[in-house]
Amino acid sequence: MIILVINSGSSSLKYQVREGDDVLAEGLVERIGEAEVPDHAAALDRVDGEVATALGGRSIDAVGHRVVHGGERFSEPVLIDNEITRAIERLNPLAPLHNPAAVTGIRAITEKWPHMPQVAVFDTAFHRTLPEHAWRYAVPDELYRRFGIRRYGFHGTSHAYVARAAAELVGAEALTGIIAHLGNGASVTAVRDGRSIDTSMGFTPLEGLVMGTRSGDIDPSILLFLMREGYSEQDLDALLNRNSGLKGLTGTNDMRSVTEAAESGTERAQLAIEVASYRLAKYVGGYHVAVGGAQALVFTAGIGENAAAFRSAVVSKLGALGLELDEDRNSERSKVARAISTSSSAFPVLVVPTNEEAAIAEATADVVSRS
Ligand code: ADP
């Protein structure tokens, strides 16, 4: 089955065409809304042109959409119809930047190819198994009932994919362990018997770890303090989502630059790595307790897969759990799933490459062939 995987942003559209493990085409259309590409329909025409050349006469069988927010309703991928599209649209307030773009993408495809099967794959779905004591915030119940304020968690497609691959690597039927997805956005998930039971992102992707440009956990009173100092809602949004994290601490959001600067002795870069790795190590300790004893710690995504120095900074703080890295294995450059711990480590530390497009395509093919 030939699947077109689409990740719609408000001004961009990322796509990949897959047939099983083969990537037949991929690309990115940017600056949607500007003169050359006025809307998502125009972006799609461009994708169609690029894809047609690559497919040489064959055609797409189904489309899989990455949808950031599935709210409380969606715990797995679904075949899209008008009602599902409206349900995703109703979740717009919970993901004001992402869900409207996904809906626009879905409608553009419906318009262009009315009979094309489309599947929505939700970033929140894997975390629908969180127990209530993990997803509740200790605030009045009214906030949950009126606004849906609770922990949802994100990066679920990646965490689920990596959980399966890690289980395979350690020879377990299902993973009981901790997965650190460290990209520009970063989150860590506690997995027991293959199911998510806690995760560091919350009501929005802002909570939890130190990220490229997001602060992760902070005292909410800081917001109240800054509001009294005259900061507006927009100021606070930009401050915490776009100008904090590694960028706030060092001036750059890119971990590669930060690690290079740290190695050449820049103190602010060294401090940023300490702050970020310490935060993650604390979560790993907590989630080790949550899962009742992890059987693996897994690193994935851009930083998790490539930043050996950062992995080392994290694991060096986890001696209390009996974890020990094999520094040779850790610094090896490789694109395959592998263990990077010593044989005497209390449980293995793994690097498992994530592949959200493959996971979305697989889920799409699965839903379409069952429908
Ligand atoms: P996104 O969340 O945008 O998909 P990625 O998963 O691609 O992000 O991760 C991007 C991050 O990975 C960046 O901070 C980048 O600097 C970092 N990264 C990629 N390669 C390396 C490397 N060799 N060393 C350190 N950091 C790296």
Side-chain angles (χ1 to χ4, degrees), residues 181-185 253-257 259 301-303 306-307 333:
H181 173 112
L182 312 174
N184 275 313
N253 64 309
D254 187 79
M255 182 58 100
R256 199 182 325 219
S257 316
T259 41
I303 296 168
N306 301 299
R333 296 211 151 269

Side-chain angles (χ1 to χ4, degrees), residues 256 301-309 311 330 333-335 338 351:
R256 199 182 325 219
I303 296 168
E305 292 167 31
N306 301 299
R311 291 192 298 252
N330 183 42
R333 296 211 151 269
S334 162
K335 293 274 168 221
R338 63 198 188 277
V351 174

Side-chain angles (χ1 to χ4, degrees), residues 89-122:
E89 199 168 33
R90 280 197 295 277
L91 294 166
N92 282 357
L94 293 181
L97 295 180
H98 295 103
N99 273 34
V103 169
T104 308
I106 291 167
R107 294 217 165 107
I109 291 196
T110 311
E111 185 97 341
K112 192 171 169 64
W113 297 308
H115 300 293
M116 177 72 74
Q118 297 189 66
V119 173
V121 181
F122 300 93

Side-chain angles (χ1 to χ4, degrees), residues 3-350:
I3 310 285
L4 169 63
V5 176
I6 293 215
N7 187 346
S8 307
S10 51
S11 68
S12 70
L13 192 157
K14 219 166 119 182
Y15 72 91
Q16 194 173 82
V17 180
R18 303 183 62 98
E19 187 174 31
D21 287 336
D22 295 334
V23 178
L24 308 179
E26 62 188 327
L28 170 70
V29 182
E30 288 179 291
R31 299 207 201 110
I32 299 175
E34 292 178 24
E36 272 181 47
V37 197
D39 54 19
H40 280 72
L44 208 58
D45 287 338
R46 211 175 253 214
V47 172
D48 191 18
E50 291 171 17
V51 167
T53 321
L55 289 184
R58 298 198 299 161
S59 54
I60 291 160
D61 297 303
V63 177
H65 293 269
R66 171 171 188 243
V67 181
V68 164
H69 218 302
E72 291 199 309
R73 171 165 168 186
F74 297 106
S75 56
E76 43 190 63
V78 288
L79 194 65
I80 296 172
D81 58 20
N82 285 336
E83 191 273 324
I84 297 283
T85 311
R86 283 195 297 273
I88 296 171
E89 199 168 33
R90 280 197 295 277
L91 294 166
N92 282 357
L94 293 181
L97 295 180
H98 295 103
N99 273 34
V103 169
T104 308
I106 291 167
R107 294 217 165 107
I109 291 196
T110 311
E111 185 97 341
K112 192 171 169 64
W113 297 308
H115 300 293
M116 177 72 74
Q118 297 189 66
V119 173
V121 181
F122 300 93
D123 244 19
T124 49
F126 183 55
H127 304 301
R128 289 291 293 118
T129 49
L130 254 60
E132 187 165 351
H133 63 255
W135 63 250
R136 275 276 175 183
Y137 290 115
V139 294
D141 187 51
E142 194 197 352
L143 299 189
Y144 168 58
R145 281 184 283 112
R146 275 186 67 191
F147 305 115
I149 292 179
R150 51 159 288 177
R151 176 185 300 286
Y152 291 99
F154 300 88
H155 289 147
T157 309
S158 173
H159 284 296
Y161 177 88
V162 170
R164 288 195 298 273
E168 215 168 278
L169 187 64
V170 297
E173 202 161 296
L175 180 76
T176 291
I178 301 153
I179 300 172
H181 173 112
L182 312 174
N184 275 313
S187 68
V188 53
T189 293
V191 177
R192 189 163 64 206
D193 299 324
R195 291 151 71 96
S196 171
I197 62 161
D198 204 350
T199 191
S200 61
M201 283 179 169
F203 178 61
T204 73
L206 183 53
E207 196 178 352
L209 302 176
V210 176
M211 310 182 209
T213 61
R214 297 187 200 124
S215 63
D217 299 333
I218 60 162
D219 180 344
S221 294
I222 294 170
L223 303 188
L224 305 179
F225 174 90
L226 292 175
M227 282 168 76
R228 288 193 294 268
E229 292 291 320
Y231 281 62
S232 68
E233 180 207 329
Q234 285 86 346
D235 294 338
L236 292 174
D237 186 8
L239 180 77
L240 297 176
N241 280 304
R242 293 205 293 279
N243 297 318
S244 291
L246 294 178
K247 186 170 177 202
L249 289 168
T250 69
T252 167
N253 64 309
D254 187 79
M255 182 58 100
R256 199 182 325 219
S257 316
V258 176
T259 41
E260 280 164 10
E263 270 155 30
S264 59
T266 309
E267 276 174 26
R268 265 157 56 106
Q270 290 165 347
L271 175 68
I273 289 174
E274 281 306 290
V275 173
S277 59
Y278 175 66
R279 176 92 51 90
L280 174 53
K282 281 202 294 186
Y283 268 95
V284 172
Y287 287 177
H288 182 59
V289 173
V291 301
Q295 288 159 14
L297 167 62
V298 192
F299 286 96
T300 193
I303 296 168
E305 292 167 31
N306 301 299
F310 186 74
R311 291 192 298 252
S312 181
V314 174
V315 177
S316 69
K317 295 174 179 60
L318 291 168
L321 301 189
L323 292 187
E324 205 176 81
L325 277 196
D326 178 325
E327 283 303 340
D328 287 338
R329 287 190 195 167
N330 183 42
S331 50
E332 229 171 73
R333 296 211 151 269
S334 162
K335 293 274 168 221
V336 297
R338 63 198 188 277
I340 55 168
S341 44
T342 63
S343 52
S344 55
S345 181
F347 52 88
V349 180
L350 312 175

